[in-house]
Amino acid sequence: MARTANFLGIVVVVVFGLLPFFGSTHAQLQLNFYAKSCPKAEQIVLNYVKEHIPNAPSLAASFLRMHFHDCFVRGCDASVLLNSTTGEKNAVPNRTLRGFAFIDAVKSLLEAECPGVVSCADILSLVARDSVAITGGPFWQVPTGRRDGLITNVTEANNQIPGPTNNFTTLLTSFGNQGLDATDLVILSGAHTIGISHCPAVSPRLYNSSGPGGIDPTMDTEYAENLKANKCKTPNDNTTRLEMDPGSRKTFDLSYYTYLLKRRGLFQSDAALTMNSTSLALIKQLLSSPPQFFFDQFAKSMEKMGRIKVKTGTEGEIRKQCALVNG
């Protein structure tokens, strides 16, 4: 515990030390940034989401994940959208991302309305928020004014995006590197209440751990045996879909945290949240509070994440196509 406390102390120092830098970077992000340059921009995004997401609600989880993965590599600059054989799209965590054509369609509408004005980074941020809200999840403020990055790097993505096998210390370090803390870690992990995964992400817990039959001893045995018998019959099955919040994956609620306390979190990174007294206390607080408390905390952490190392002013560019840098 002393180690954890020391690490948390270091994170606090790092975050405070970066505040002046973050402040100057964020100065040009503002609500309704496009009020004069493209006044219909946010409504165009919302209208497209309202038209299409009800027919494909699982995309809400995809866009939330895409936004998260984007922000953790070079900041929230839409670098995850760029096509490149050595780019982020080819990183292991990003090979199962979906929804790129949806983002391109929104971009086309905005280019028709206001050519060269609205960034792909802002589009992704807005689509993620609107998709989650439309499907019954929390709403959060999205100040805009982000610019698009020019660089995408597969190695950076593989190294910087938190993984399903990470322990608590590794997770906290990864979040701390982005100016996020233990509270953000627990709250943003709550996004696992919606969406799906695949067997390779959980197979080490089912086949290669220290417990009987290779099962991770921190995982509920009945849950693990059911996964092995009915879902992940082979460790490398990359087609079977696994609900991260069984029975409730289409509803943005607290049941994910309930499963964590029953040792039924799918990933090692989920189980890790119960191994630290600080994060465990927050999980219990969430479960003993009205659902709106979780929604409010999630909104705060998403707003914080959406400001990670953003490019503003003359940094980067406004891409004409989200998959390609200009020129």
Side-chain angles (χ1 to χ4, degrees):
M1 287 310 305
R3 239 178 117 186
T4 304
N6 287 341
F7 184 82
L8 284 169
I10 291 171
V11 170
V12 171
V13 170
V14 170
V15 171
F16 284 141
L18 290 177
L19 279 177
F21 170 77
F22 281 153
S24 61
T25 305
H26 297 164
Q28 296 175 66
L29 278 191
Q30 61 188 60
L31 293 174
N32 302 313
F33 178 84
Y34 300 108
K36 293 182 179 179
S37 59
C38 191
K40 296 180 182 178
E42 294 193 26
Q43 191 62 48
I44 288 172
V45 175
L46 179 58
N47 288 346
Y48 194 84
V49 168
K50 281 183 174 179
E51 181 181 356
H52 295 283
I53 289 298
N55 299 322
S58 64
L59 278 175
S62 300
F63 291 131
L64 195 54
R65 184 166 173 247
M66 189 186 291
H67 182 34
F68 176 83
H69 286 198
D70 179 49
C71 291
F72 266 64
V73 184
R74 294 184 170 268
C76 309
D77 68 347
S79 53
V80 73
L81 303 179
L82 287 171
N83 286 338
S84 169
T85 55
T86 58
E88 294 170 37
K89 278 187 180 179
N90 292 305
V92 173
N94 291 335
R95 290 174 188 168
T96 53
L97 289 179
R98 299 183 303 126
F100 294 108
F102 189 105
I103 299 294
D104 290 340
V106 175
K107 176 63 171 173
S108 294
L109 292 174
L110 289 167
E111 284 297 299
E113 178 73 16
C114 314
V117 173
V118 183
S119 71
C120 299
D122 278 341
I123 292 171
L124 178 53
S125 301
L126 290 165
V127 166
R129 188 271 309 277
D130 291 345
S131 298
V132 169
I134 287 294
T135 52
F139 177 92
W140 59 92
Q141 298 292 342
V142 178
T144 43
R146 296 167 188 79
R147 306 262 296 176
D148 298 324
L150 304 173
I151 298 170
T152 183
N153 186 297
V154 63
T155 303
E156 291 177 350
N158 280 325
N159 291 339
Q160 293 170 20
I161 296 172
T165 60
N166 288 166
N167 61 29
F168 186 80
T169 301
T170 302
L171 289 169
L172 198 57
T173 300
S174 179
F175 274 64
N177 288 341
Q178 307 299 338
L180 303 175
D181 58 24
T183 296
D184 300 312
L185 167 58
V186 173
I187 296 298
L188 293 176
S189 294
H192 288 177
T193 184
I194 55 174
I196 59 169
S197 186
H198 298 88
C199 293
V202 71
S203 288
R205 301 191 74 197
L206 302 177
Y207 289 94
N208 299 317
S209 287
S210 58
I215 293 174
D216 184 346
T218 67
M219 194 177 211
D220 178 74
T221 303
E222 182 181 353
Y223 177 51
E225 290 177 346
N226 180 58
L227 285 172
K228 290 180 74 170
N230 299 307
K231 295 288 186 178
C232 301
K233 297 178 181 179
T234 60
N236 298 318
D237 178 355
N238 212 13
T239 56
T240 299
R241 294 183 172 188
L242 303 175
E243 296 183 353
M244 291 187 279
D245 186 359
S248 181
R249 75 173 180 86
K250 295 181 180 180
T251 307
F252 209 104
D253 58 21
L254 288 162
S255 60
Y256 162 77
Y257 296 109
T258 301
Y259 280 119
L260 291 190
L261 296 189
K262 294 180 177 178
R263 299 191 301 127
R264 293 192 171 202
L266 188 62
F267 307 136
Q268 179 59 46
S269 58
D270 294 324
L273 302 181
T274 67
M275 307 294 178
N276 172 272
S277 60
T278 302
S279 58
L280 180 59
L282 178 53
I283 291 170
K284 291 179 178 178
Q285 182 185 4
L286 289 166
L287 290 172
S288 64
S289 302
Q292 190 60 44
F293 176 73
F294 170 44
F295 275 34
D296 291 345
Q297 294 300 312
F298 191 84
K300 289 178 184 177
S301 289
M302 285 302 300
E303 289 168 20
K304 190 173 174 183
M305 188 190 81
R307 292 179 173 272
I308 293 174
K309 300 172 186 171
V310 293
K311 296 169 177 63
T312 60
T314 58
E315 297 176 280
E317 65 181 11
I318 304 297
R319 287 183 215 143
K320 296 176 183 177
Q321 298 180 62
C322 289
L324 303 169
V325 295
N326 296 340

